[in-house]
Amino acid sequence: MTFNKYHQQDISSSKFLITGGAGFIGSNLVAYLVQYQAAKIVVLDNLSTGYLENIAEFIERGEVQFIEGDIRDYKTCTEAMQGIDFVLHEAALGSVPRSINDPITTNDVNISGFLNVLQAAKEAGVKRMVYAASSSTYGDSPTLPKQEAVIGNPLSPYAVTKYVNELYADVYSRTYQFHSIGLRYFNVFGPKQNVNGPYAAVIPLFITQILNGETPVINGDGLTSRDFTFVSNVVQANIKALLTDNIVKHEVFNVACNEQTSLTELVSAITENLGSSLEPVYKPERKGDVKHSLADISKASNQLHYQPEILFKDGLKETITYFQELIGAS
């Protein structure tokens, strides 16, 4: 996938570290920086949820330096950070259900690991760190659209960890004058998203189920809604946040499209694209899931000049094409 240019600065002498760079979002960020010829790109990933094949071509061509390591080890973080100008922190254990099943590991990776990266970046004199926050932080707040300053009570261990990231980042900004930016992602989807395992995201899961002739399963009544966000929009937000001159303290921003799609509408859109007559089956709602999600993106638009370029329907078509090619469907 190629990207439009989201920066104006010369990055040919800048050095970047992407934690979780072998994962879905991280590898797309790597691809952007390779495309626009960053001076140095380092990826730190333990490959627990990422895949080396996502960045293998870049490693083979010498465009990316890969470090297999875990952010839970502070020494690894400090070594990876040496000489780095900018950090994109994507490494985390995602999935609300996973966090409910294993809150200890989720906490270790998402809180202790985050703090290691934050401290190492501060100590290394990194110019800017942008990290993956989450829309799960809004918790049980019924307010729509979601605005950054209005959050509720978290509904899962995962949501707790992502909110704690924001609290730590804010403390580092006020205490150490290390000003990072958190991006609250809203249900990101697109090429390179993992469909394997019990915690696969809903869009690649539904697409592959329907491509394989399997009945898609919706948890709940199908009215649960999300602000599905194509991955190139997330890349745009990260690059603009990383290189902005407008931010002089810790900030968090919604990254989404300000579009609301229910799960039933999602399945219908996929079956229509594929010419399938499969109908979903409905099962009980999952614990910890937010019922409705829709982002107010005005803060990111005003301060970062973020503007989503690919909206849900077009992003879904591109994602369907990717998975058709991946599994050899036609």
Side-chain angles (χ1 to χ4, degrees):
M1 189 162 77
T2 58
F3 300 92
N4 292 329
K5 192 175 183 181
Y6 305 129
H7 67 280
Q8 296 179 336
Q9 300 91 332
D10 178 13
I11 63 171
S12 63
S13 59
S14 297
K15 300 175 183 178
F16 298 80
L17 171 67
I18 304 97
T19 69
F24 164 46
I25 296 173
S27 63
N28 278 285
L29 289 166
V30 169
Y32 181 92
L33 293 173
V34 168
Q35 180 181 337
Y36 290 102
Q37 300 178 323
K40 183 176 183 180
I41 305 165
V42 180
V43 166
L44 173 62
D45 202 306
N46 68 357
L47 303 178
S48 62
T49 58
Y51 294 88
L52 201 55
E53 54 260 38
N54 284 339
I55 55 172
E57 60 179 306
F58 306 131
I59 297 171
E60 290 167 4
R61 294 200 297 259
E63 296 164 324
V64 168
Q65 176 189 343
F66 176 68
I67 301 171
E68 185 171 353
D70 198 309
I71 60 171
R72 288 173 289 183
D73 181 68
Y74 181 66
K75 183 180 178 183
T76 297
C77 294
T78 59
E79 291 174 351
M81 209 70 67
Q82 296 308 304
I84 294 297
D85 298 306
F86 299 100
V87 175
L88 291 161
H89 178 51
E90 303 299 319
L93 269 186
S95 171
V96 165
R98 189 203 320 259
S99 76
I100 290 173
N101 293 334
D102 185 4
I104 300 297
T105 305
T106 298
N107 186 88
D108 286 347
V109 174
N110 293 1
I111 295 181
S112 296
F114 176 86
L115 184 57
N116 284 341
V117 173
L118 187 64
Q119 174 69 10
K122 188 262 290 185
E123 289 296 298
V126 165
K127 295 176 183 177
R128 172 64 56 77
M129 170 174 152
V130 173
Y131 65 91
S134 171
S135 60
S136 66
T137 297
Y138 290 104
D140 63 2
S141 170
T143 303
L144 288 178
K146 305 295 185 185
Q147 295 181 321
E148 287 86 349
V150 183
I151 63 173
N153 298 305
L155 296 175
S156 67
Y158 173 73
V160 170
T161 68
K162 300 308 279 186
Y163 183 43
V164 170
N165 288 178
E166 295 184 12
L167 295 175
Y168 262 127
D170 191 63
V171 165
Y172 267 63
S173 181
R174 289 184 286 108
T175 304
Y176 305 113
Q177 289 71 55
F178 182 73
H179 310 305
S180 57
I181 293 176
L183 301 179
R184 289 181 184 163
Y185 298 159
F186 281 69
N187 295 88
V188 187
F189 73 99
K192 296 188 178 181
Q193 192 165 23
N194 182 23
V195 74
N196 300 313
Y199 304 116
V202 66
I203 287 184
L205 184 61
F206 283 169
I207 291 173
T208 53
Q209 284 176 333
I210 293 168
L211 282 171
N212 292 324
E214 301 168 4
T215 302
V217 176
I218 291 177
N219 294 301
D221 58 12
L223 300 179
T224 296
S225 64
R226 294 290 182 264
D227 195 336
F228 293 110
T229 309
F230 190 65
V231 67
S232 65
N233 299 319
V234 173
V235 171
Q236 178 197 160
N238 271 274
I239 298 303
K240 288 184 173 180
L242 198 66
L243 299 175
T244 183
D245 294 323
N246 296 335
I247 309 301
V248 293
K249 62 185 181 68
H250 173 252
E251 294 281 3
V252 293
F253 296 93
N254 290 337
V255 177
C257 294
N258 189 230
E259 291 184 301
Q260 196 170 14
T261 305
S262 73
L263 295 182
T264 295
E265 289 171 335
L266 170 62
V267 171
S268 178
I270 296 171
T271 55
E272 182 180 342
N273 270 280
L274 292 174
S276 170
S277 59
L278 285 170
E279 295 287 340
V281 297
Y282 297 86
K283 293 191 175 181
E285 288 189 1
R286 301 186 307 187
K287 292 181 179 179
D289 274 350
V290 173
K291 185 66 176 178
H292 297 293
S293 190
L294 174 67
D296 181 338
I297 57 174
S298 58
K299 182 180 177 183
S301 176
N302 292 333
Q303 296 189 35
L304 299 178
H305 308 296
Y306 164 76
Q307 188 61 44
E309 295 179 327
I310 299 183
L311 300 181
F312 169 69
K313 288 185 178 179
D314 291 333
L316 185 64
K317 289 178 182 178
E318 188 166 337
T319 305
I320 288 171
T321 299
Y322 168 81
F323 281 101
Q324 284 178 313
E325 295 173 352
L326 188 68
I327 68 175
S330 60

